[in-house]
Amino acid sequence: MDNLNINKHISAQYNAELESVRNQVLTMGGLVEKQLVDAIKAMNKGDAELAQTVIDNDQKVNAMEVSIDEACTQIIAKRQPTASDLRLIIAIIRTVSELERIGDEADKICRTALEKFSNQHQTLLVSLESLGHHTIQMLHDVLDVLARLDLEQGIQVYREDKKVDREYEGVVRQLMTYMMEDPRTIPNVMTGMFCARAIERIGDRVQNICEFVFYLVKGKDFRHVDGESLEKLLSDVTPPAKK
């Protein structure tokens, strides 16, 4: 986050506090990414032990959110940050909230995965695994965006959510087909629906984190902007193409 000149302050302690919360949010992001990877693996393999490990570790994610929030509150109270420093603290608070919710989705996937799919639904599991890996890559990439404040990559990750949505719709159609062809599959279909929805929501959360990075760097609020207006704002952020 050198772009924000974190080391510009006269107070070395202030610099250290900002750097500390920055490192903490990236550490939390790494833990949440591992939670998601393990959740998708547990779902696909029917690994009850791994699923339980993810469920148990969700408390660590929650504790990190609380710790980072407290650190940010202390900085606001003691330092009364302004301009880019205040945007940094606000972006971090919002980001850790989204990361905690991604952790919750991983927890939901694991609790659902404990209801094992039958061997007749391997095609369904492959589709869910593919959707899961797509969101894992999005989360990995957005953490890289957050670390380097790379707006160009951030825009690519932001737009990737449309692909996740299309993939999710395809999974839903597949699930509905299973259900209509054989009503006995309804329990498994409902389990699949729940997992697919949780995975799709992770893509939305990643997109939210992209918006916080845009706000942090550019000072513009990208939330609740649709259609042509959003494309205009994104084009304003995108660097000019190299000739």
Side-chain angles (χ1 to χ4, degrees):
M1 293 187 179
D2 294 340
N3 315 48
L4 299 179
N5 298 317
I6 285 179
N7 296 321
K8 70 182 185 301
H9 303 290
I10 295 175
S11 170
Q13 182 60 34
Y14 188 11
N15 294 334
E17 290 167 2
L18 292 173
E19 186 65 23
S20 175
V21 293
R22 169 185 178 269
N23 291 335
Q24 286 179 61
V25 72
L26 293 174
T27 299
M28 180 181 178
L31 174 58
V32 171
E33 182 180 354
K34 185 177 187 306
Q35 286 282 93
L36 182 55
V37 168
D38 288 345
I40 299 302
K41 185 184 299 183
M43 176 191 69
N44 188 53
K45 302 296 184 184
D47 190 333
E49 184 177 351
L50 181 58
Q52 191 59 52
T53 298
V54 173
I55 292 169
D56 293 341
N57 284 341
D58 189 54
Q59 292 301 317
K60 295 180 181 178
V61 175
N62 296 341
M64 292 187 78
E65 181 196 19
V66 172
S67 176
I68 295 169
D69 275 351
E70 289 177 350
C72 289
T73 300
Q74 287 295 318
I75 291 175
I76 291 172
K78 290 194 303 180
R79 306 298 181 181
Q80 298 181 344
T82 59
S84 62
D85 291 339
L86 182 59
R87 293 204 308 273
L88 172 63
I89 296 302
I90 291 172
I92 285 175
I93 291 172
R94 291 174 175 173
T95 295
V96 296
S97 177
E98 293 297 332
L99 288 173
E100 188 275 333
R101 289 170 183 171
I102 291 173
D104 286 346
E105 299 296 351
D107 178 273
K108 290 177 187 176
I109 291 167
C110 285
R111 291 181 188 277
T112 306
L114 293 177
E115 304 174 25
K116 296 181 181 178
F117 294 98
S118 69
N119 292 332
Q120 298 157 322
H121 296 90
Q122 287 303 309
T123 304
L124 168 59
L125 283 172
V126 168
S127 298
L128 287 172
E129 185 181 24
S130 174
L131 181 63
H133 283 308
H134 199 160
T135 57
I136 289 169
Q137 188 61 52
M138 281 186 70
L139 178 57
H140 177 83
D141 290 344
V142 83
L143 292 173
D144 190 46
V145 168
L146 185 62
R148 299 189 295 112
L149 299 183
D150 184 338
L151 293 185
E152 189 170 5
Q153 184 185 7
I155 291 167
Q156 292 172 0
V157 175
Y158 185 92
R159 289 175 171 155
E160 197 68 22
D161 185 57
K162 289 184 178 179
K163 297 179 184 178
V164 168
D165 290 343
R166 287 195 295 269
E167 196 171 345
Y168 166 71
E169 290 167 2
V171 171
V172 170
R173 285 194 297 270
Q174 185 182 35
L175 288 166
M176 296 301 291
T177 300
Y178 280 132
M179 189 167 60
M180 288 186 292
E181 290 178 349
D182 185 356
R184 292 172 299 178
T185 65
I186 289 176
N188 278 333
V189 166
M190 297 309 296
T191 299
M193 286 279 197
F194 197 88
C195 286
R197 179 57 178 162
I199 295 169
E200 188 274 336
R201 286 294 294 151
I202 290 169
D204 295 339
R205 305 252 175 233
V206 169
Q207 195 176 55
N208 290 344
I209 295 173
C210 288
E211 292 175 352
F212 304 151
V213 174
F214 299 154
Y215 165 74
L216 172 58
V217 177
K218 291 295 185 179
K220 294 181 180 180
D221 195 337
F222 284 75
R223 295 174 299 169
H224 312 303
V225 179
D226 298 313
E228 294 182 2
S229 297
L230 175 59
E231 291 301 318
K232 175 65 168 61
L233 287 171
L234 290 176
S235 67
D236 289 343
V237 173
T238 310
K242 296 180 181 178
K243 296 182 179 180

